[in-house]
Amino acid sequence: MTEERTGIITFKGNPMTLLGPDVKPGDSAPDFRVVNTDLQPVGLADSKGKISLVAVVPSLDTGVCDTMTRKFNEQTARLPDEVVVYTVSMDLPFAQKRWCGNAGIEKVKTLSDYQDRSFGLNYGVLIKELKLLARSVFVIGKDGKVAYREIVREVTDEPDYESALAATKKLL
């Protein structure tokens, strides 16, 4: 049975339930299976030996998710190639590809959790009521450990970009 956690997030002020474990800094990063914009599978092993900044959004087609992805793209553009930046959502890969092309996104790679919801369930950020992912940020070190985690309390708010970037740069 999947763990259910309450009292962590709200969506437009309404309490929501998160499905999955409470993944914290210091934990081994759970594996996952998502697909990229070419429908190719991507998992934790694809960024082995690199630092991963994983921005998690409900949908790229909303204002806050759009802003968040653009900000991370801009603010990570000068980081070395040993840092990979992902945005994970439930959007279909075709919509992600179209959005990235229109937005000029280059550093951030979009990944879709629509097939198995494995990222959402393994990282404890799948919203039970909406079947969308809760806005969150994870930084995973080269050692495969979670170095930073923020689950944004109100889904419609932006994350703490500075703290996520500082945690990423600290691992360089």
Side-chain angles (χ1 to χ4, degrees):
M1 175 109 185
T2 302
E3 182 180 347
E4 294 189 7
R5 299 172 9 253
T6 58
I8 300 164
I9 66 161
T10 57
F11 178 70
K12 297 183 179 178
N14 298 307
M16 296 283 127
T17 306
L18 292 179
L19 298 176
D22 185 14
V23 175
K24 298 183 194 77
D27 292 350
S28 290
D31 199 6
F32 56 88
R33 185 191 173 283
V34 293
V35 293
N36 65 19
T37 57
D38 294 322
L39 295 174
Q40 295 304 304
V42 176
L44 188 61
D46 291 289
S47 58
K48 186 177 174 102
K50 296 191 178 222
I51 299 161
S52 301
L53 188 156
V54 184
V56 185
V57 301
S59 174
L60 290 170
D61 282 329
T62 65
V64 176
C65 299
D66 179 288
T67 297
M68 182 174 160
T69 304
R70 288 176 191 264
K71 279 189 180 179
F72 275 127
N73 186 65
E74 179 184 309
Q75 294 178 3
T76 61
R78 291 174 299 286
L79 292 178
D81 288 342
E82 66 187 291
V83 177
V84 294
V85 185
Y86 296 130
T87 290
V88 180
S89 73
M90 296 296 273
D91 295 307
L92 293 176
F94 317 107
Q96 290 178 336
K97 190 172 197 169
R98 183 183 66 248
W99 183 89
C100 286
N102 291 340
I105 301 298
E106 294 175 359
K107 178 73 174 180
V108 173
K109 304 297 179 215
T110 54
L111 301 174
S112 177
D113 200 18
Y114 87 100
Q115 288 182 338
D116 301 326
R117 299 178 176 149
S118 78
F119 187 91
L121 287 169
N122 293 353
Y123 281 75
V125 293
L126 181 64
I127 303 171
K128 179 180 180 179
E129 294 83 356
L130 304 176
K131 303 300 185 269
L132 294 172
L133 301 177
R135 186 173 319 284
S136 48
V137 182
F138 295 87
V139 176
I140 302 166
K142 293 178 187 179
D143 61 358
K145 301 267 187 203
V146 176
Y148 174 86
R149 177 206 67 183
E150 177 189 9
I151 298 175
V152 180
R153 180 141 183 79
E154 168 53 51
V155 174
T156 59
D157 290 344
E158 292 180 57
D160 181 348
Y161 300 102
E162 292 76 27
S163 292
L165 290 166
T168 303
K169 290 174 182 175
K170 185 177 177 184
L171 297 173
L172 289 172

